Each structure stands twice: as C-alpha cells, then as structure tokens.
Amino acid sequence: MRTKNRLNPIESKYFRPEITNCPECGNKLVYCHPVWRKTISTLKGEFKIINLGYRCENNSCSNDTVYRSAEAEQLSMKHITYGMDVIAYIGYLRFKEHKTRSEIATILSEKEVKISERQVQKLYERYALLLRASVKEN
C-alpha cells in the first residue's frame, strides 16, 4: 500500500499558459482542465503546483492542442516530488564541495527539505543524467 504523502504544502500555486490566444486562429484560449497537480519540495518550501490546461474557444478551429505553462513544467521533473533547485543544489554539493550522501541529506534537512540518503542518491543520479544530456559530443 502506498503511504500518505509526507509533504505539507504551505500554499497552492496555479499556473496558466504563457500565451493567451490561439496561434492558429487568434481567438482566446479558455480553461479546459488541470493538466497535472503535485506537491513539490523546494529550497523555499513545499508547494502544491497546479498546471492548468487551456485550449482554443473557437469550435471551428482545427487546433485542438491543450496549452500548459512552461514555467510550471520547469519547476520539477516528471515523477519527482523535489524541485529542480534541490536537484541542482545536490549536484553542487556533490561536485563542488565533495559532500557524501549523508552530509547532503543533513544539509538539506537543516534547510527544512525532508529527504533521505536514498532520495539524495536518486536525485544525484538525475542530476548526472541531466549533466550528461547537456554536454555536446564532438
């Protein structure tokens, strides 16, 4: 059985697409449904993030795309409850300061980020994956 989420968000943040009009016909985009919602833990606290989906209000428009917020998409990776700032900080502590998993977990706990050593390892692996993906091969 899955355990209850250990995070307690301090506030909810709603995100809408950055564009307001349909790129195809120019009509206004209207709300249709939440694309996703999840609670994430960042260095600034825990937040419930709701990414709202919008689509063209013109029924005769051929554009049936659901638009979402790029800003919300950048806050956290899919299937991860930690923000990108936490992942980047773990990478910094590991590569620049040469901290161990337990030291990183302690530092993050002092910053009120609820995390275990195993989660630190998983997030470090994600950081390394992102780092490898960003390097161009010659």
Side-chain angles (χ1 to χ4, degrees):
M1 178 189 283
R2 194 170 176 184
T3 60
K4 185 175 187 258
N5 192 338
R6 74 208 177 312
L7 302 177
N8 300 310
I10 55 176
E11 70 177 283
S12 295
K13 292 187 176 187
Y14 293 84
F15 290 86
R16 292 172 178 77
E18 288 72 22
I19 63 171
T20 56
N21 294 346
C22 176
E24 218 165 287
C25 70
N27 279 0
K28 185 179 175 189
L29 296 176
V30 293
Y31 170 76
C32 58
H33 65 276
V35 179
W36 58 261
R37 70 184 86 198
K38 69 178 177 177
T39 302
I40 65 169
S41 180
T42 69
L43 295 175
K44 295 178 182 175
E46 298 168 353
F47 301 95
K48 182 170 186 164
I49 305 297
I50 300 103
N51 195 355
L52 303 174
Y54 280 68
R55 67 170 35 143
C56 183
E57 71 178 349
N58 183 0
N59 292 334
S60 62
C61 180
S62 63
N63 185 4
D64 61 349
T65 305
V66 175
Y67 294 93
R68 55 176 81 193
S69 170
E71 184 180 358
E73 297 291 333
Q74 294 174 4
L75 292 175
S76 176
M77 295 177 78
K78 192 172 186 176
H79 306 297
I80 294 185
T81 58
Y82 292 94
M84 294 300 287
D85 59 343
V86 174
I87 295 172
Y89 192 56
I90 288 171
Y92 169 79
L93 291 173
R94 184 69 186 113
F95 278 121
K96 295 288 185 181
E97 306 221 352
H98 308 288
K99 302 288 185 191
T100 64
R101 282 189 328 197
S102 61
E103 290 172 329
I104 293 171
T106 302
I107 291 168
L108 288 172
S109 294
E110 289 169 359
K111 291 185 174 285
E112 298 184 11
V113 176
K114 298 172 188 168
I115 195 164
S116 68
E117 286 184 40
R118 180 66 185 134
Q119 289 169 321
V120 168
Q121 179 64 33
K122 286 182 178 182
L123 293 179
Y124 169 70
E125 290 168 4
R126 287 289 181 126
Y127 176 83
L129 180 70
L130 290 170
L131 194 60
R132 280 193 301 270
S134 70
V135 175
K136 293 183 180 179
E137 291 186 28
N138 292 328

